[in-house]
């Protein structure tokens, strides 16, 4: 089975990465097979496992979750992956290409926006999915200081620097992970 992850870009371009092993770990750490050094990606975010007849994805208890075709994957449960499935990790969307299928890579369909709900007399404040103190200072600072367009542009610039090495795929050499710095 020949498996590639095709990274989609908002500008319409994409980059293809062959999965280097039968088990490929994706995440922010230096020892991941596909390294994504973005603060919203967990150190070990998810893994893809392939054998001769099947492909499976498992979320490794990531904070932000892993999504297949727009649906969040249950933590620590294997989900079958088919050719053409969309895998979202943080802000990145990949298309799974198995044995050259799908031949044409297209972005996922846009989700329809739900109609606004009518105003209610008493609204409780929405609880954040993750407590703010756990999001990380760097992400909080970037979100506060930059507009969505600036963040999209920065991410696009970082993705332009994708690099494939012998044993793993580096998105770039930038990583502000404090735990990685402690090991130095």
């Amino acid at each position: 089975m020949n498996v590639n992850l095709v990274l989609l870009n908002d500008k319409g371009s994409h980059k293809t990465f062959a999965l280097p092993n039968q088990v490929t770990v994706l995440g922010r750490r230096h020892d991941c097979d596909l390294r994504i050094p973005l603060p919203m990606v967990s150190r070990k975010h998810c893994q893809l496992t392939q054998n001769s007849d099947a492909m499976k994805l498992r979320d490794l208890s990531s904070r932000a979750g892993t999504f297949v075709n727009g649906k969040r994957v249950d933590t620590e449960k294997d989900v079958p992956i088919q050719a053409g499935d969309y895998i979202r990790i943080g802000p990145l969307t990949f298309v799974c290409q198995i044995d050259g299928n799908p031949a044409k890579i297209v972005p996922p369909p846009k989700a329809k926006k739900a109609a606004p709900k009518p105003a209610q007399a008493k609204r409780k404040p929405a609880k954040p999915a993750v407590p703010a103190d756990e999001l990380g200072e760097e992400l909080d600072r970037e979100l506060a200081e930059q507009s969505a367009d600036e963040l999209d542009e920065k991410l696009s610039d970082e993705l332009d620097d994708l690099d494939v090495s012998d044993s793993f795929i580096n998105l770039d050499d930038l990583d502000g992970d404090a735990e990685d710095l402690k090991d130095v």
Side-chain angles (χ1 to χ4, degrees):
M1 179 182 296
N2 181 17
V3 180
N4 295 314
L5 288 182
V6 182
L7 177 64
L8 300 174
N9 186 326
D10 287 341
K11 298 174 185 172
S13 62
H14 54 270
K15 289 193 177 194
T16 303
F17 300 99
L19 296 188
N21 305 313
Q22 295 292 354
V23 176
T24 302
V25 177
L26 294 83
R28 198 173 70 222
R29 287 178 49 131
H30 290 280
D31 60 347
C32 289
D33 301 303
L34 175 60
R35 186 168 174 265
I36 307 170
L38 299 172
M40 61 283 294
V41 174
S42 294
R43 289 173 186 87
K44 287 194 174 184
H45 199 94
C46 66
Q47 77 179 20
L48 289 163
T49 306
Q50 58 180 311
N51 59 35
S52 60
D53 61 340
M55 178 80 171
K56 295 179 182 178
L57 180 138
R58 175 180 283 205
D59 181 87
L60 299 175
S61 301
S62 66
R63 182 176 294 156
T66 306
F67 297 80
V68 174
N69 298 325
K71 294 182 182 177
R72 188 175 182 137
V73 173
D74 288 336
T75 299
E76 299 294 332
K77 291 189 179 177
D78 289 333
V79 174
I81 300 295
Q82 304 295 322
D85 282 349
Y86 296 99
I87 300 170
R88 185 167 51 90
I89 300 167
L92 305 180
T93 300
F94 297 90
V95 176
C96 183
Q97 189 178 48
I98 301 174
D99 295 328
N101 291 315
K104 183 176 181 182
I105 303 298
V106 296
K110 298 276 185 186
K112 293 181 180 179
K113 291 185 179 180
K117 293 181 180 179
Q120 296 175 351
K122 293 182 180 180
R123 280 194 168 174
K124 292 182 181 179
K127 290 183 179 179
V130 177
D133 60 341
E134 294 180 17
L135 289 177
E137 293 177 23
E138 183 177 342
L139 178 58
D140 289 341
R141 186 173 48 254
E142 284 188 36
L143 292 174
E145 294 174 356
Q146 298 178 4
S147 70
D149 290 337
E150 289 171 326
L151 289 171
D152 284 344
E153 184 175 322
K154 181 179 177 183
L155 179 59
S156 292
D157 290 343
E158 289 179 7
L159 294 178
D160 289 340
D161 295 331
L162 290 170
D163 179 33
V164 179
S165 70
D166 293 338
S167 62
F168 61 90
I169 302 167
N170 275 328
L171 288 177
D172 66 23
D173 293 325
L174 300 175
D175 189 7
D177 187 359
E179 284 197 20
D180 288 342
L181 294 175
K182 289 180 187 176
D183 295 336
V184 176

